Amino acid sequence: MPGSSTVTVHADREVLPQRAVAPPIYQTAAFSAPDGETFARAAVEPRGQDFYTRFGNPNHAQVAAVVAELEGTEAAMVTASGMAALTTAVLALVSAGDHVVGQRSTYGGTASVLLNLLPRFGVTTTLVDQTDPAAFEQALTPRTRLVLVETPSNPLLQITDLRAVTDLARAHDLLTMADNTFATPLNQRPADFGVDLVWHSATKYLNGHTDVSAGVLAGPAELLDKVWDTGLLTGTVLGPFDAWLLLRGMRTLPLRMPRHNANGQALAEALDAHPAVSRVHYPGLVSHPQHKLAVGQMTGFGGVLSIEFTGGFEAADAFLGRLRYARRSASLGGVESLAVHPASMWRGMLDEEQIAAAVPPGLVRLAAGTEDTADLVADVVTAADSVAMGSRS
Ligand SMILES: *Cc1c(COP(=O)(O)O)cnc(C)c1O
């Protein structure tokens, strides 16, 4: 098996062999067929690449080839965003009357699908404390069909025991889906632990340059065929140019992740004992309550950490305003550092009560980019120092 840096450069080569070293952009909505038989066959080929771009495109297939190999799954598919990957898969896998188990600490959009969207279609849901593997078992009902996990979780960096959840799911004949956005396949491969479908907001680390919205799903071909069938109806197709940009971004994922990991760790350590800070959430800290579990299922801890300030919301907001490098933005996973106040960010997806249940009001989520570690550390320490000073005066 070639290593991940080789995989990201070469795994798409056989998708559509050609002499151009960089893959062409198939900027076309449709493909022609030489005869009726070929046309009829192309129309029903799951995740094909030469019928109609909503059904599939060579640029999608190239991304999928790399993602499948990185995640260690049989196949993969591409969607227009991370949320498109989630909603398309969930709509494909559950029906009215079914029950879905999710996590209490999870991305705001995922929480909204569980709390607000699925119940409208007669699908009941339960959100559990994912730090307690027994909570998943207690949530099961005879109608449970699917378990959604996210580890580390956004933005609290809580860890889900992948082995425990997949063992439980297997025993009860349930499907599992894992949001692997924060870890990336470089730091964690959920399929190795038995997760059925792995999905990403490829908008984040996979693309890595904050210039594309995209999603991916990886898993067994048969399961993805089902999701693809539904995807034809939800129409969440990624544009060919965006797929091309995503592939270009993924080429350097194995070079970027070690720097993100190093920067996340350094920032977490620099802020952990700071007088302005009451708590740093980062699985790479020995003080993280689930550090041992994280070490057991991850090979790196990523660039995202979250910070609670003793001064609450005001202090968090002041900290954000004083950062020189990390700009105030809703995204993460790019080469540039970004920071955000999650309680403000999720207003479009959750109501005030749902937000209050999900995140402390004074929490800051800091996504370390690939800048020099010393520059980022100096910047956050200066910003935190001035917050500490401000609260004393
Ligand atoms: C951003 C994000 C999503 C949503 O992805 P989009 O590409 O914005 O639709 C899902 N999960 C996690 C963990 C995220 O950070």
Side-chain angles (χ1 to χ4, degrees), residues 80-86 106-110 150-155 179-182 199-204 212-215 330-332 346 349 365:
S81 64
M83 286 312 295
L86 174 68
T106 197
Y107 173 66
T110 306
E150 178 183 322
T151 182
S153 70
N154 183 354
D179 183 339
N180 204 29
T181 301
F182 268 37
W199 68 282
H200 286 261
S201 169
T203 314
K204 313 291 172 51
V212 168
S213 278
S331 200
L332 62 97
W346 288 351
M349 299 186 289
R365 186 189 72 195

Side-chain angles (χ1 to χ4, degrees), residues 34 56 64 80-82 88 99 151 165 172 217 221 253 266 284 306 319 346 357 368 374 378 390:
S81 64
T88 304
H99 174 248
T151 182
V165 172
H172 294 265
L217 284 147
L253 177 70
S306 59
F319 174 78
W346 288 351

Side-chain angles (χ1 to χ4, degrees), residues 303-339:
V304 184
L305 55 144
S306 59
I307 309 144
E308 288 180 56
F309 286 87
T310 42
F313 178 88
E314 308 276 295
D317 200 55
F319 174 78
L320 284 174
R322 280 168 192 159
L323 292 170
R324 175 172 176 199
Y325 295 119
R327 280 169 285 177
R328 205 189 284 259
S329 169
S331 200
L332 62 97
V335 292
E336 62 287 295
S337 290
L338 298 174

